[in-house]
Amino acid sequence: SRFQGLEEADGGSVEIGFSLPRATSVRLGILDLQGREIAVLAEGVLPAGSHTARWDGSTPRGVAPAGLYFARLLAADRVLSQRLVRLK
């Protein structure tokens, strides 16, 4: 498993790319600086290959303010993190 990178998309959202070497159970979440998971972008078994998820800043409590966040991918026996900055 690995992150393929972050790309800014339309309207202040971000696309998070990741790849899986084999089908596996994943959870892709967004964490705040305190390590709290504030959004879940993908969860369940995904096939091998490249995948993308988009985060528009939405959380169950509304829209996240501008600031520093982390995308965390839990896949099989690996945990990967990628820093991201929300500007809007």
Side-chain angles (χ1 to χ4, degrees):
S1 308
R2 68 181 176 90
F3 275 115
Q4 294 175 323
L6 303 172
E7 292 186 23
E8 190 171 336
D10 317 359
S13 63
V14 62
E15 285 191 355
I16 302 164
F18 60 98
S19 64
L20 302 170
R22 62 186 179 281
T24 190
S25 179
V26 302
R27 183 177 178 99
L28 176 62
I30 302 296
L31 282 65
D32 64 15
L33 285 177
Q34 289 75 40
R36 296 178 297 225
E37 187 174 76
I38 61 168
V40 176
L41 306 182
E43 186 172 31
V45 177
L46 294 179
S50 297
H51 303 274
T52 58
R54 182 179 287 215
W55 185 50
D56 61 3
S58 296
T59 75
R61 296 181 178 210
V63 177
L68 182 62
Y69 296 90
F70 292 90
R72 179 180 66 188
L73 177 65
L74 306 172
D77 58 349
R78 298 196 61 186
V79 178
L80 303 173
S81 295
Q82 176 74 46
R83 182 180 65 147
L84 60 100
V85 177
R86 180 162 167 71
L87 299 175
K88 293 183 179 184

